Short mmCIF file of all heavy atoms in Angstrom, two decimals:
data_model
loop_
_atom_site.label_atom_id
_atom_site.label_comp_id
_atom_site.label_asym_id
_atom_site.label_seq_id
_atom_site.Cartn_x
_atom_site.Cartn_y
_atom_site.Cartn_z
N MET A 152 2.71 5.91 35.02
CA MET A 152 1.61 6.87 35.27
C MET A 152 0.55 6.19 36.11
O MET A 152 0.17 5.05 35.85
CB MET A 152 1.02 7.32 33.92
CG MET A 152 -0.01 8.40 34.07
SD MET A 152 -0.76 8.81 32.49
CE MET A 152 0.55 9.75 31.73
N GLY A 153 0.11 6.88 37.14
CA GLY A 153 -0.89 6.30 38.04
C GLY A 153 -2.30 6.39 37.48
O GLY A 153 -2.51 6.86 36.37
N THR A 154 -3.23 5.91 38.27
CA THR A 154 -4.62 5.98 37.83
C THR A 154 -5.23 7.32 38.22
O THR A 154 -4.67 8.07 39.01
CB THR A 154 -5.43 4.84 38.44
OG1 THR A 154 -5.29 4.89 39.85
CG2 THR A 154 -4.95 3.50 37.93
N TYR A 155 -6.38 7.58 37.67
CA TYR A 155 -7.04 8.86 37.86
C TYR A 155 -8.39 8.69 38.56
O TYR A 155 -9.07 7.69 38.39
CB TYR A 155 -7.32 9.52 36.50
CG TYR A 155 -6.10 9.87 35.70
CD1 TYR A 155 -5.88 9.29 34.46
CD2 TYR A 155 -5.18 10.78 36.18
CE1 TYR A 155 -4.77 9.61 33.71
CE2 TYR A 155 -4.06 11.12 35.44
CZ TYR A 155 -3.86 10.53 34.21
OH TYR A 155 -2.76 10.85 33.47
N LYS A 156 -8.75 9.71 39.32
CA LYS A 156 -10.16 9.91 39.66
C LYS A 156 -10.75 10.68 38.50
O LYS A 156 -10.19 11.70 38.08
CB LYS A 156 -10.30 10.72 40.95
CG LYS A 156 -9.94 9.96 42.18
CD LYS A 156 -10.20 10.82 43.40
CE LYS A 156 -9.58 10.19 44.62
NZ LYS A 156 -9.36 11.16 45.69
N VAL A 157 -11.87 10.22 37.99
CA VAL A 157 -12.42 10.78 36.75
C VAL A 157 -13.81 11.33 37.01
O VAL A 157 -14.66 10.65 37.60
CB VAL A 157 -12.52 9.68 35.66
CG1 VAL A 157 -12.89 10.29 34.33
CG2 VAL A 157 -11.22 8.90 35.55
N LYS A 158 -14.03 12.57 36.60
CA LYS A 158 -15.35 13.18 36.72
C LYS A 158 -15.74 13.84 35.41
O LYS A 158 -14.89 14.27 34.65
CB LYS A 158 -15.32 14.29 37.79
CG LYS A 158 -15.28 13.78 39.21
CD LYS A 158 -15.49 14.95 40.15
CE LYS A 158 -14.57 14.83 41.34
NZ LYS A 158 -14.39 16.08 42.06
N VAL A 159 -17.05 13.93 35.20
CA VAL A 159 -17.56 14.69 34.06
C VAL A 159 -18.39 15.84 34.60
O VAL A 159 -19.24 15.65 35.48
CB VAL A 159 -18.44 13.80 33.15
CG1 VAL A 159 -19.11 14.65 32.08
CG2 VAL A 159 -17.61 12.71 32.50
N ASP A 160 -18.12 17.02 34.09
CA ASP A 160 -18.92 18.20 34.44
C ASP A 160 -20.18 18.18 33.56
O ASP A 160 -20.14 18.48 32.37
CB ASP A 160 -18.12 19.47 34.20
CG ASP A 160 -18.89 20.71 34.61
OD1 ASP A 160 -20.13 20.64 34.77
OD2 ASP A 160 -18.26 21.77 34.76
N ARG A 161 -21.30 17.82 34.18
CA ARG A 161 -22.55 17.68 33.41
C ARG A 161 -23.04 19.01 32.86
O ARG A 161 -23.82 19.06 31.91
CB ARG A 161 -23.66 17.08 34.29
CG ARG A 161 -23.37 15.66 34.75
CD ARG A 161 -24.55 15.11 35.51
NE ARG A 161 -25.74 15.01 34.71
CZ ARG A 161 -26.01 13.99 33.87
NH1 ARG A 161 -25.15 13.01 33.75
NH2 ARG A 161 -27.12 13.98 33.18
N ASP A 162 -22.63 20.10 33.49
CA ASP A 162 -23.11 21.42 33.06
C ASP A 162 -22.46 21.87 31.76
O ASP A 162 -23.03 22.70 31.04
CB ASP A 162 -22.84 22.45 34.15
CG ASP A 162 -23.68 22.18 35.38
OD1 ASP A 162 -24.75 21.56 35.24
OD2 ASP A 162 -23.25 22.56 36.49
N THR A 163 -21.26 21.35 31.49
CA THR A 163 -20.57 21.83 30.29
C THR A 163 -20.47 20.76 29.20
O THR A 163 -20.19 21.09 28.05
CB THR A 163 -19.14 22.33 30.62
OG1 THR A 163 -18.42 21.26 31.24
CG2 THR A 163 -19.19 23.52 31.57
N CYS A 164 -20.70 19.50 29.53
CA CYS A 164 -20.64 18.43 28.53
C CYS A 164 -21.67 18.70 27.44
O CYS A 164 -22.83 18.97 27.73
CB CYS A 164 -20.92 17.07 29.19
SG CYS A 164 -21.15 15.72 28.01
N THR A 165 -21.21 18.64 26.18
CA THR A 165 -22.11 18.92 25.06
C THR A 165 -22.70 17.64 24.46
O THR A 165 -23.48 17.71 23.52
CB THR A 165 -21.34 19.65 23.94
OG1 THR A 165 -20.30 18.79 23.46
CG2 THR A 165 -20.73 20.95 24.45
N GLY A 166 -22.27 16.49 24.98
CA GLY A 166 -22.81 15.23 24.46
C GLY A 166 -22.24 14.83 23.12
O GLY A 166 -22.88 14.12 22.35
N CYS A 167 -21.01 15.23 22.84
CA CYS A 167 -20.42 14.97 21.53
C CYS A 167 -20.03 13.50 21.33
O CYS A 167 -19.74 13.09 20.22
CB CYS A 167 -19.21 15.86 21.30
SG CYS A 167 -17.77 15.37 22.28
N GLU A 168 -19.96 12.75 22.41
CA GLU A 168 -19.67 11.31 22.39
C GLU A 168 -18.22 10.96 22.08
O GLU A 168 -17.89 9.79 21.87
CB GLU A 168 -20.61 10.56 21.41
CG GLU A 168 -22.06 10.73 21.77
CD GLU A 168 -22.99 9.86 20.93
OE1 GLU A 168 -22.51 8.91 20.29
OE2 GLU A 168 -24.20 10.12 20.95
N LEU A 169 -17.36 11.97 22.02
CA LEU A 169 -15.95 11.67 21.74
C LEU A 169 -15.34 10.78 22.82
O LEU A 169 -14.64 9.81 22.52
CB LEU A 169 -15.17 13.00 21.69
CG LEU A 169 -14.54 13.39 20.38
CD1 LEU A 169 -13.93 14.78 20.50
CD2 LEU A 169 -13.51 12.38 19.94
N CYS A 170 -15.60 11.10 24.07
CA CYS A 170 -14.98 10.34 25.16
C CYS A 170 -15.46 8.90 25.19
O CYS A 170 -14.68 7.98 25.41
CB CYS A 170 -15.22 11.02 26.50
SG CYS A 170 -16.96 11.25 26.92
N SER A 171 -16.76 8.70 24.94
CA SER A 171 -17.30 7.34 24.99
C SER A 171 -16.87 6.53 23.79
O SER A 171 -16.98 5.31 23.78
CB SER A 171 -18.83 7.38 25.11
OG SER A 171 -19.40 8.03 24.01
N THR A 172 -16.38 7.20 22.75
CA THR A 172 -15.82 6.51 21.60
C THR A 172 -14.36 6.17 21.86
O THR A 172 -13.89 5.08 21.59
CB THR A 172 -15.93 7.39 20.34
OG1 THR A 172 -17.30 7.71 20.14
CG2 THR A 172 -15.38 6.67 19.11
N GLU A 173 -13.64 7.14 22.43
CA GLU A 173 -12.20 6.98 22.62
C GLU A 173 -11.86 6.07 23.81
O GLU A 173 -10.92 5.30 23.76
CB GLU A 173 -11.57 8.36 22.82
CG GLU A 173 -10.08 8.33 22.76
CD GLU A 173 -9.49 9.68 22.39
OE1 GLU A 173 -10.21 10.52 21.81
OE2 GLU A 173 -8.32 9.89 22.68
N ALA A 174 -12.63 6.20 24.88
CA ALA A 174 -12.39 5.38 26.08
C ALA A 174 -13.72 4.74 26.46
O ALA A 174 -14.37 5.09 27.45
CB ALA A 174 -11.85 6.26 27.22
N GLU A 175 -14.12 3.76 25.66
CA GLU A 175 -15.49 3.25 25.73
C GLU A 175 -15.77 2.42 26.97
O GLU A 175 -16.94 2.19 27.30
CB GLU A 175 -15.81 2.44 24.46
CG GLU A 175 -14.88 1.26 24.27
CD GLU A 175 -15.12 0.54 22.94
OE1 GLU A 175 -15.89 1.05 22.13
OE2 GLU A 175 -14.53 -0.53 22.77
N LYS A 176 -14.72 1.98 27.65
CA LYS A 176 -14.97 1.22 28.88
C LYS A 176 -15.02 2.12 30.10
O LYS A 176 -15.32 1.67 31.21
CB LYS A 176 -13.90 0.14 29.05
CG LYS A 176 -13.94 -0.89 27.95
CD LYS A 176 -12.91 -1.97 28.18
CE LYS A 176 -12.88 -2.94 27.01
NZ LYS A 176 -11.52 -3.10 26.47
N THR A 177 -14.69 3.37 29.90
CA THR A 177 -14.67 4.33 31.01
C THR A 177 -15.90 5.24 30.99
O THR A 177 -16.48 5.53 32.03
CB THR A 177 -13.39 5.19 30.92
OG1 THR A 177 -12.26 4.32 30.90
CG2 THR A 177 -13.29 6.15 32.10
N PHE A 178 -16.26 5.69 29.78
CA PHE A 178 -17.37 6.63 29.64
C PHE A 178 -18.52 6.02 28.85
O PHE A 178 -18.29 5.28 27.89
CB PHE A 178 -16.90 7.89 28.89
CG PHE A 178 -15.76 8.61 29.54
CD1 PHE A 178 -14.46 8.40 29.12
CD2 PHE A 178 -15.98 9.48 30.59
CE1 PHE A 178 -13.39 9.05 29.71
CE2 PHE A 178 -14.93 10.14 31.20
CZ PHE A 178 -13.63 9.93 30.76
N GLU A 179 -19.73 6.38 29.26
CA GLU A 179 -20.92 6.04 28.47
C GLU A 179 -21.80 7.27 28.41
O GLU A 179 -21.69 8.16 29.25
CB GLU A 179 -21.72 4.90 29.13
CG GLU A 179 -21.19 3.53 28.80
CD GLU A 179 -22.00 2.42 29.45
OE1 GLU A 179 -23.10 2.70 29.99
OE2 GLU A 179 -21.52 1.28 29.42
N MET A 180 -22.70 7.28 27.43
CA MET A 180 -23.66 8.38 27.36
C MET A 180 -24.91 7.95 28.12
O MET A 180 -25.38 6.82 27.98
CB MET A 180 -24.01 8.68 25.90
CG MET A 180 -22.81 8.94 25.00
SD MET A 180 -21.63 10.14 25.63
CE MET A 180 -22.64 11.63 25.57
N ASP A 181 -25.44 8.85 28.94
CA ASP A 181 -26.63 8.49 29.71
C ASP A 181 -27.91 8.83 28.94
O ASP A 181 -27.85 9.25 27.77
CB ASP A 181 -26.60 9.13 31.11
CG ASP A 181 -26.84 10.63 31.08
OD1 ASP A 181 -27.16 11.19 30.00
OD2 ASP A 181 -26.72 11.25 32.15
N ASP A 182 -29.05 8.65 29.59
CA ASP A 182 -30.34 8.86 28.92
C ASP A 182 -30.54 10.31 28.47
O ASP A 182 -31.35 10.59 27.59
CB ASP A 182 -31.49 8.49 29.87
CG ASP A 182 -31.51 7.01 30.16
OD1 ASP A 182 -30.82 6.26 29.43
OD2 ASP A 182 -32.18 6.60 31.12
N GLU A 183 -29.82 11.22 29.11
CA GLU A 183 -29.94 12.64 28.74
C GLU A 183 -28.90 13.05 27.71
O GLU A 183 -28.79 14.23 27.37
CB GLU A 183 -29.80 13.50 29.99
CG GLU A 183 -30.90 13.27 31.02
CD GLU A 183 -30.62 14.01 32.32
OE1 GLU A 183 -30.21 15.18 32.29
OE2 GLU A 183 -30.79 13.38 33.38
N GLY A 184 -28.11 12.07 27.23
CA GLY A 184 -27.09 12.39 26.24
C GLY A 184 -25.87 13.06 26.82
O GLY A 184 -25.12 13.74 26.11
N ILE A 185 -25.65 12.86 28.12
CA ILE A 185 -24.49 13.42 28.79
C ILE A 185 -23.56 12.27 29.17
O ILE A 185 -24.02 11.18 29.53
CB ILE A 185 -24.93 14.17 30.08
CG1 ILE A 185 -25.94 15.28 29.75
CG2 ILE A 185 -23.72 14.72 30.84
CD1 ILE A 185 -25.40 16.42 28.95
N ALA A 186 -22.26 12.52 29.08
CA ALA A 186 -21.29 11.47 29.41
C ALA A 186 -21.29 11.20 30.91
O ALA A 186 -21.39 12.12 31.73
CB ALA A 186 -19.90 11.90 28.96
N VAL A 187 -21.17 9.92 31.26
CA VAL A 187 -21.02 9.52 32.66
C VAL A 187 -19.83 8.56 32.75
O VAL A 187 -19.51 7.87 31.79
CB VAL A 187 -22.29 8.84 33.23
CG1 VAL A 187 -23.41 9.83 33.39
CG2 VAL A 187 -22.73 7.67 32.35
N VAL A 188 -19.22 8.55 33.93
CA VAL A 188 -18.10 7.64 34.17
C VAL A 188 -18.68 6.32 34.66
O VAL A 188 -19.34 6.27 35.70
CB VAL A 188 -17.15 8.23 35.23
CG1 VAL A 188 -16.00 7.24 35.51
CG2 VAL A 188 -16.60 9.57 34.77
N VAL A 189 -18.46 5.26 33.90
CA VAL A 189 -18.97 3.95 34.33
C VAL A 189 -17.89 3.15 35.04
O VAL A 189 -18.20 2.28 35.85
CB VAL A 189 -19.55 3.13 33.15
CG1 VAL A 189 -20.85 3.74 32.69
CG2 VAL A 189 -18.56 3.00 32.02
N ASN A 190 -16.62 3.44 34.73
CA ASN A 190 -15.52 2.74 35.40
C ASN A 190 -14.26 3.59 35.25
O ASN A 190 -13.71 3.67 34.14
CB ASN A 190 -15.31 1.35 34.77
CG ASN A 190 -14.18 0.59 35.43
OD1 ASN A 190 -13.52 1.09 36.35
ND2 ASN A 190 -13.94 -0.60 34.96
N PRO A 191 -13.80 4.21 36.32
CA PRO A 191 -12.64 5.10 36.20
C PRO A 191 -11.35 4.37 35.84
O PRO A 191 -10.35 5.00 35.50
CB PRO A 191 -12.53 5.74 37.58
CG PRO A 191 -13.26 4.82 38.49
CD PRO A 191 -14.33 4.15 37.67
N GLU A 192 -11.37 3.04 35.89
CA GLU A 192 -10.20 2.27 35.47
C GLU A 192 -10.55 1.35 34.30
O GLU A 192 -9.91 0.32 34.07
CB GLU A 192 -9.66 1.45 36.64
CG GLU A 192 -9.18 2.33 37.78
CD GLU A 192 -8.68 1.52 38.97
OE1 GLU A 192 -8.20 0.40 38.76
OE2 GLU A 192 -8.78 2.03 40.09
N GLY A 193 -11.60 1.74 33.56
CA GLY A 193 -12.06 0.90 32.46
C GLY A 193 -11.05 0.81 31.32
O GLY A 193 -10.93 -0.21 30.66
N ASP A 194 -10.38 1.91 31.08
CA ASP A 194 -9.33 1.94 30.06
C ASP A 194 -8.01 2.29 30.72
O ASP A 194 -7.99 2.71 31.88
CB ASP A 194 -9.69 2.99 28.99
CG ASP A 194 -10.95 2.63 28.23
OD1 ASP A 194 -10.87 1.85 27.27
OD2 ASP A 194 -12.04 3.09 28.65
N ASP A 195 -6.92 2.11 29.98
CA ASP A 195 -5.64 2.43 30.60
C ASP A 195 -5.53 3.95 30.79
O ASP A 195 -6.18 4.72 30.09
CB ASP A 195 -4.48 1.84 29.80
CG ASP A 195 -4.34 2.49 28.45
OD1 ASP A 195 -3.83 3.61 28.39
OD2 ASP A 195 -4.79 1.88 27.47
N PRO A 196 -4.71 4.38 31.74
CA PRO A 196 -4.65 5.80 32.08
C PRO A 196 -4.30 6.69 30.89
O PRO A 196 -4.84 7.80 30.79
CB PRO A 196 -3.56 5.86 33.16
CG PRO A 196 -3.60 4.51 33.80
CD PRO A 196 -3.93 3.55 32.70
N ASP A 197 -3.44 6.22 30.00
CA ASP A 197 -3.09 7.05 28.84
C ASP A 197 -4.30 7.29 27.94
O ASP A 197 -4.48 8.37 27.38
CB ASP A 197 -1.99 6.38 28.01
CG ASP A 197 -0.63 6.48 28.69
OD1 ASP A 197 -0.51 7.26 29.65
OD2 ASP A 197 0.29 5.77 28.25
N THR A 198 -5.14 6.26 27.80
CA THR A 198 -6.34 6.39 26.97
C THR A 198 -7.32 7.36 27.63
O THR A 198 -7.94 8.19 26.95
CB THR A 198 -6.99 5.00 26.78
OG1 THR A 198 -6.05 4.14 26.15
CG2 THR A 198 -8.24 5.09 25.93
N ILE A 199 -7.46 7.24 28.93
CA ILE A 199 -8.37 8.15 29.65
C ILE A 199 -7.87 9.59 29.56
O ILE A 199 -8.63 10.52 29.31
CB ILE A 199 -8.51 7.70 31.12
CG1 ILE A 199 -9.22 6.34 31.17
CG2 ILE A 199 -9.25 8.75 31.94
CD1 ILE A 199 -9.24 5.70 32.54
N ARG A 200 -6.57 9.75 29.71
CA ARG A 200 -5.98 11.08 29.60
C ARG A 200 -6.20 11.66 28.20
O ARG A 200 -6.56 12.83 28.03
CB ARG A 200 -4.48 11.00 29.92
CG ARG A 200 -3.70 12.28 29.70
CD ARG A 200 -3.81 13.19 30.91
NE ARG A 200 -3.15 14.45 30.67
CZ ARG A 200 -2.34 15.03 31.53
NH1 ARG A 200 -2.08 14.47 32.69
NH2 ARG A 200 -1.81 16.21 31.28
N ALA A 201 -6.01 10.82 27.18
CA ALA A 201 -6.20 11.28 25.80
C ALA A 201 -7.65 11.68 25.57
O ALA A 201 -7.93 12.69 24.91
CB ALA A 201 -5.78 10.18 24.83
N ALA A 202 -8.58 10.91 26.14
CA ALA A 202 -10.00 11.26 25.99
C ALA A 202 -10.29 12.59 26.65
O ALA A 202 -11.00 13.44 26.11
CB ALA A 202 -10.87 10.15 26.60
N ALA A 203 -9.72 12.79 27.83
CA ALA A 203 -9.94 14.05 28.55
C ALA A 203 -9.38 15.22 27.76
O ALA A 203 -10.02 16.27 27.63
CB ALA A 203 -9.30 13.98 29.94
N GLU A 204 -8.20 15.01 27.18
CA GLU A 204 -7.57 16.11 26.44
C GLU A 204 -8.31 16.39 25.15
O GLU A 204 -8.26 17.50 24.62
CB GLU A 204 -6.11 15.78 26.17
CG GLU A 204 -5.28 15.78 27.45
CD GLU A 204 -3.78 15.63 27.19
OE1 GLU A 204 -3.35 15.79 26.03
OE2 GLU A 204 -3.06 15.35 28.16
N SER A 205 -9.02 15.40 24.62
CA SER A 205 -9.73 15.63 23.36
C SER A 205 -11.14 16.16 23.58
O SER A 205 -11.81 16.53 22.62
CB SER A 205 -9.77 14.34 22.53
OG SER A 205 -10.54 13.36 23.18
N CYS A 206 -11.59 16.22 24.81
CA CYS A 206 -12.93 16.76 25.07
C CYS A 206 -12.97 18.23 24.69
O CYS A 206 -12.23 19.04 25.26
CB CYS A 206 -13.29 16.59 26.55
SG CYS A 206 -14.82 17.45 26.98
N PRO A 207 -13.82 18.59 23.74
CA PRO A 207 -13.82 19.98 23.26
C PRO A 207 -14.31 20.97 24.30
O PRO A 207 -14.07 22.18 24.17
CB PRO A 207 -14.75 19.93 22.05
CG PRO A 207 -15.58 18.71 22.22
CD PRO A 207 -14.78 17.74 23.01
N ALA A 208 -15.00 20.49 25.31
CA ALA A 208 -15.55 21.40 26.32
C ALA A 208 -14.74 21.36 27.63
O ALA A 208 -15.14 22.01 28.61
CB ALA A 208 -17.00 21.03 26.59
N ASP A 209 -13.63 20.64 27.64
CA ASP A 209 -12.86 20.45 28.89
C ASP A 209 -13.76 20.00 30.04
O ASP A 209 -13.63 20.47 31.18
CB ASP A 209 -12.13 21.75 29.28
CG ASP A 209 -10.80 21.89 28.54
OD1 ASP A 209 -10.37 20.93 27.88
OD2 ASP A 209 -10.21 22.98 28.64
N SER A 210 -14.67 19.10 29.73
CA SER A 210 -15.64 18.66 30.75
C SER A 210 -15.17 17.47 31.56
O SER A 210 -15.83 17.07 32.51
CB SER A 210 -16.96 18.28 30.06
OG SER A 210 -17.50 19.38 29.41
N ILE A 211 -14.05 16.87 31.14
CA ILE A 211 -13.53 15.71 31.87
C ILE A 211 -12.43 16.18 32.80
O ILE A 211 -11.44 16.78 32.37
CB ILE A 211 -13.00 14.64 30.90
CG1 ILE A 211 -14.13 14.18 29.98
CG2 ILE A 211 -12.40 13.47 31.67
CD1 ILE A 211 -13.69 13.26 28.87
N ILE A 212 -12.65 15.94 34.08
CA ILE A 212 -11.72 16.42 35.10
C ILE A 212 -11.00 15.23 35.70
O ILE A 212 -11.63 14.27 36.15
CB ILE A 212 -12.49 17.21 36.17
CG1 ILE A 212 -13.21 18.39 35.50
CG2 ILE A 212 -11.56 17.70 37.27
CD1 ILE A 212 -14.58 18.62 36.01
N LEU A 213 -9.69 15.28 35.66
CA LEU A 213 -8.86 14.19 36.17
C LEU A 213 -8.08 14.64 37.39
O LEU A 213 -7.45 15.70 37.38
CB LEU A 213 -7.87 13.72 35.10
CG LEU A 213 -8.44 13.25 33.76
CD1 LEU A 213 -7.30 12.86 32.84
CD2 LEU A 213 -9.42 12.11 33.94
N HIS A 214 -8.15 13.82 38.43
CA HIS A 214 -7.28 14.00 39.59
C HIS A 214 -6.42 12.75 39.72
O HIS A 214 -6.89 11.63 39.48
CB HIS A 214 -8.09 14.18 40.87
CG HIS A 214 -8.79 15.50 40.96
ND1 HIS A 214 -9.98 15.76 40.31
CD2 HIS A 214 -8.47 16.64 41.63
CE1 HIS A 214 -10.35 17.00 40.58
NE2 HIS A 214 -9.45 17.56 41.37
N ASP A 215 -5.18 12.94 40.13
CA ASP A 215 -4.31 11.80 40.43
C ASP A 215 -4.93 11.02 41.58
O ASP A 215 -5.23 11.58 42.64
CB ASP A 215 -2.92 12.33 40.79
CG ASP A 215 -1.92 11.20 40.99
OD1 ASP A 215 -2.13 10.37 41.91
OD2 ASP A 215 -0.94 11.17 40.25
N ALA A 216 -5.15 9.71 41.38
CA ALA A 216 -5.84 8.92 42.39
C ALA A 216 -5.03 8.82 43.69
O ALA A 216 -5.60 8.66 44.77
CB ALA A 216 -6.13 7.52 41.85
N GLU A 217 -3.72 8.92 43.58
CA GLU A 217 -2.89 8.79 44.78
C GLU A 217 -2.75 10.10 45.53
O GLU A 217 -2.97 10.17 46.73
CB GLU A 217 -1.49 8.30 44.38
CG GLU A 217 -1.25 6.85 44.74
CD GLU A 217 0.08 6.35 44.22
OE1 GLU A 217 1.09 7.05 44.45
OE2 GLU A 217 0.08 5.28 43.60
N THR A 218 -2.43 11.15 44.81
CA THR A 218 -2.13 12.43 45.48
C THR A 218 -3.34 13.33 45.57
O THR A 218 -3.35 14.28 46.36
CB THR A 218 -1.03 13.19 44.71
OG1 THR A 218 -1.56 13.56 43.43
CG2 THR A 218 0.21 12.34 44.54
N GLY A 219 -4.37 13.07 44.77
CA GLY A 219 -5.53 13.93 44.74
C GLY A 219 -5.32 15.20 43.94
O GLY A 219 -6.22 16.03 43.81
N GLU A 220 -4.13 15.34 43.38
CA GLU A 220 -3.80 16.56 42.64
C GLU A 220 -4.56 16.59 41.31
O GLU A 220 -4.65 15.59 40.61
CB GLU A 220 -2.30 16.57 42.37
CG GLU A 220 -1.78 17.79 41.67
CD GLU A 220 -0.31 17.61 41.26
OE1 GLU A 220 0.32 16.63 41.72
OE2 GLU A 220 0.19 18.44 40.48
N LYS A 221 -5.09 17.76 40.99
CA LYS A 221 -5.78 17.92 39.70
C LYS A 221 -4.74 17.92 38.59
O LYS A 221 -3.78 18.67 38.63
CB LYS A 221 -6.56 19.22 39.69
CG LYS A 221 -7.36 19.45 38.43
CD LYS A 221 -8.19 20.71 38.60
CE LYS A 221 -8.61 21.25 37.26
NZ LYS A 221 -9.12 22.61 37.38
N VAL A 222 -4.95 17.05 37.59
CA VAL A 222 -3.99 16.97 36.50
C VAL A 222 -4.59 17.41 35.15
O VAL A 222 -3.86 17.70 34.22
CB VAL A 222 -3.39 15.55 36.37
CG1 VAL A 222 -2.52 15.24 37.56
CG2 VAL A 222 -4.47 14.49 36.22
N TRP A 223 -5.94 17.44 35.06
CA TRP A 223 -6.57 17.93 33.81
C TRP A 223 -7.96 18.42 34.12
O TRP A 223 -8.65 17.76 34.89
CB TRP A 223 -6.62 16.81 32.76
CG TRP A 223 -7.02 17.36 31.41
CD1 TRP A 223 -8.27 17.39 30.88
CD2 TRP A 223 -6.15 18.01 30.49
NE1 TRP A 223 -8.23 18.00 29.67
CE2 TRP A 223 -6.94 18.41 29.40
CE3 TRP A 223 -4.77 18.32 30.48
CZ2 TRP A 223 -6.41 19.08 28.31
CZ3 TRP A 223 -4.27 18.97 29.40
CH2 TRP A 223 -5.08 19.34 28.32
N PRO A 224 -8.43 19.53 33.51
CA PRO A 224 -7.68 20.41 32.62
C PRO A 224 -6.60 21.16 33.39
O PRO A 224 -6.73 21.41 34.59
CB PRO A 224 -8.74 21.39 32.08
CG PRO A 224 -10.01 21.09 32.77
CD PRO A 224 -9.82 19.95 33.68
N GLU A 225 -5.58 21.55 32.64
CA GLU A 225 -4.53 22.37 33.24
C GLU A 225 -5.09 23.77 33.46
O GLU A 225 -5.81 24.28 32.64
CB GLU A 225 -3.30 22.43 32.31
CG GLU A 225 -2.59 21.09 32.28
CD GLU A 225 -1.52 21.03 31.19
OE1 GLU A 225 -1.53 21.89 30.30
OE2 GLU A 225 -0.70 20.11 31.27
N ASP A 226 -4.75 24.34 34.60
CA ASP A 226 -5.23 25.69 34.92
C ASP A 226 -4.50 26.74 34.11
O ASP A 226 -3.40 26.54 33.69
CB ASP A 226 -5.06 25.98 36.42
CG ASP A 226 -6.03 25.13 37.23
OD1 ASP A 226 -7.16 24.88 36.76
OD2 ASP A 226 -5.65 24.70 38.33
S1 SF4 B 168 -15.92 14.46 25.08
FE1 SF4 B 168 -16.53 16.01 26.62
S2 SF4 B 168 -18.27 17.12 25.71
FE2 SF4 B 168 -17.99 15.22 24.55
S3 SF4 B 168 -19.40 13.76 25.54
FE3 SF4 B 168 -17.38 13.50 26.50
S4 SF4 B 168 -17.42 14.84 28.32
FE4 SF4 B 168 -19.11 15.46 26.98
#
């Protein structure tokens, strides 16, 4: 599995901190209590994918770093 381009949708993130707990080297909470990507390769791709899939607001958007194809959330 390749690496991902990782984004957080600040408009929908609820600040639940799940992602920063599950993939703590990739996501951190900022001063406003919203998740930010600190290192898109901070954790292994499976961990990042699992964090994205566990986001209750589908606020973590993953694109395949090589192809640019959107891989999460699924449409
Ligand atoms: S898991 Fe989703 S809603 Fe929760 S802090 Fe992370 S991006 Fe925001």
Side-chain angles (χ1 to χ4, degrees):
M152 186 184 285
T154 55
Y155 297 118
K156 287 184 192 159
V157 188
K158 285 189 221 161
V159 172
D160 183 343
R161 296 185 62 83
D162 293 334
T163 58
C164 170
T165 63
C167 73
E168 301 187 16
L169 245 175
C170 58
S171 60
T172 303
E173 191 157 339
E175 60 185 8
K176 296 182 185 127
T177 304
F178 302 97
E179 277 181 10
M180 307 309 294
D181 72 6
D182 293 346
E183 296 172 44
I185 302 293
V187 290
V188 178
V189 289
N190 180 359
E192 297 179 29
D194 295 276
D195 66 77
D197 285 348
T198 300
I199 294 172
R200 174 83 184 226
E204 292 187 14
S205 65
C206 172
D209 276 351
S210 298
I211 300 173
I212 301 139
L213 303 179
H214 288 80
D215 185 298
E217 254 174 49
T218 66
E220 183 189 349
K221 183 175 159 194
V222 292
W223 191 264
E225 289 170 345
D226 290 325

